[in-house]
Amino acid sequence: MSSASRIRKSTWVGIGALVSICCASPGEHPGRLPADQLVFSVGTGGHGWLPFVVQALHSPVISVYGDGRVVYTERTEPHMMAPPEYLVALSDPDEVARFAADIEDLYLIDPGTDVGSPAVTDQETTTVAFHGHGDASELRVYAFGTRFEQDLSPAALENRAALRDVIAEAWDLAQGEAEPFVPDTVHIYEPQAGAAPDGVVPSWPGPHPATFRTGDPGSPGVINGDAAGLVYSAARENPDSWWRVDDEVVRLVVDPVP
């Protein structure tokens, strides 16, 4: 993992009781979560001055699954329309279960948690989603940076600090060898603004847009399966997101779903 990831790590505080497995029979893991369950994720929305389609991209920075998969990217905000490069590491599912139990003991990731709202404009909103042994929940934090937090209440400051520690613990789960991640699902946005380039434009490698267009600019199309991985790989090499489809040049922005 890069130095940027190591910097994000901090001391884990507020740990509650660990999941007990002392009474389980050999091979049983009563605290484990379903393999495909998205246990924890962190994502950010774009700044207010960015184009609508860039603000709409919600691919998370890190996602942790019940079977130990940790999918992450080093790109922390959507500066451009090319999708981020994701890696996937494998953690111990029991460690993920303990991580989830610790979060549940904190009663932190909930819409009612006081995280304050700094008096600044055009900053990104960080969304932290959690699904442990109970119901799924999420917490949205506006302007999640210490330089904006001087005037917040003590309770909001405490909750933001605890949330940073939780996020750091999630990054700890991503330690070890990682491989390139290939998504099974991508969302496709089709912004209407902008002028098509005059030069050579690559051909769209996925299914025809007519098969996934929704007719609503705010509602993306969806591509699943092998085609999702194909268009994700191609979009990584085409940061402007202009494509040739038949005799037309269109803008198709690929947003992977880790």
Side-chain angles (χ1 to χ4, degrees):
M1 185 170 294
S2 71
S3 59
S5 293
R6 296 190 185 97
I7 291 173
R8 282 194 290 266
K9 294 170 56 182
S10 61
T11 304
W12 172 253
V13 296
I15 300 296
L18 296 178
V19 175
S20 174
I21 60 172
C22 62
C23 299
S25 301
E28 292 182 348
H29 301 277
R32 283 190 178 183
L33 297 164
D36 290 332
Q37 180 169 308
L38 178 58
V39 177
F40 184 85
S41 71
V42 180
T44 57
H47 303 298
W49 46 264
L50 289 174
F52 165 77
V53 69
V54 179
Q55 295 184 52
L57 303 181
H58 291 301
S59 294
V61 176
I62 184 169
S63 299
V64 180
Y65 286 86
D67 61 1
R69 284 173 293 146
V70 183
V71 183
Y72 64 92
T73 175
E74 295 299 333
R75 199 174 84 190
T76 57
E77 58 180 326
H79 289 298
M80 54 185 178
M81 294 189 185
E85 178 183 10
Y86 279 99
L87 299 173
V88 57
L90 189 61
S91 183
D92 186 339
D94 292 327
E95 288 297 321
V96 172
R98 284 190 283 269
F99 170 63
D102 293 338
I103 293 176
E104 289 170 334
D105 286 341
L106 293 175
Y107 298 99
L108 177 67
I109 302 176
D110 182 87
T113 298
D114 179 10
V115 291
S117 182
V120 294
T121 59
D122 291 333
Q123 298 301 310
E124 63 189 14
T125 295
T126 299
T127 300
V128 181
F130 173 65
H131 188 186
H133 299 86
D135 294 333
S137 60
E138 70 175 27
L139 177 62
R140 296 171 62 84
V141 188
Y142 177 67
F144 193 24
T146 55
R147 66 186 183 279
F148 304 122
E149 298 175 352
Q150 295 88 343
D151 297 327
L152 296 183
S153 69
L157 291 173
E158 181 178 354
N159 288 332
R160 284 177 173 239
L163 188 60
R164 289 189 179 95
D165 289 331
V166 170
I167 293 171
E169 183 71 1
W171 281 102
D172 282 340
L173 293 172
Q175 295 295 325
E177 294 185 5
E179 298 180 351
F181 171 76
V182 179
D184 292 323
T185 300
V186 295
H187 291 162
I188 309 295
Y189 291 89
E190 191 170 359
Q192 301 303 311
D198 295 328
V200 176
V201 176
S203 297
W204 173 245
H208 196 281
T211 65
F212 56 74
R213 279 177 174 143
T214 65
D216 179 1
S219 179
V222 179
I223 298 176
N224 295 308
D226 293 340
L230 180 64
V231 298
Y232 167 72
S233 178
R236 292 276 306 136
E237 304 299 325
N238 185 18
D240 292 330
S241 298
W242 288 102
W243 307 92
R244 182 168 297 282
V245 179
D246 299 331
D247 295 327
E248 184 182 10
V249 175
V250 296
R251 206 166 203 178
L252 301 172
V253 181
V254 178
D255 191 25
V257 180

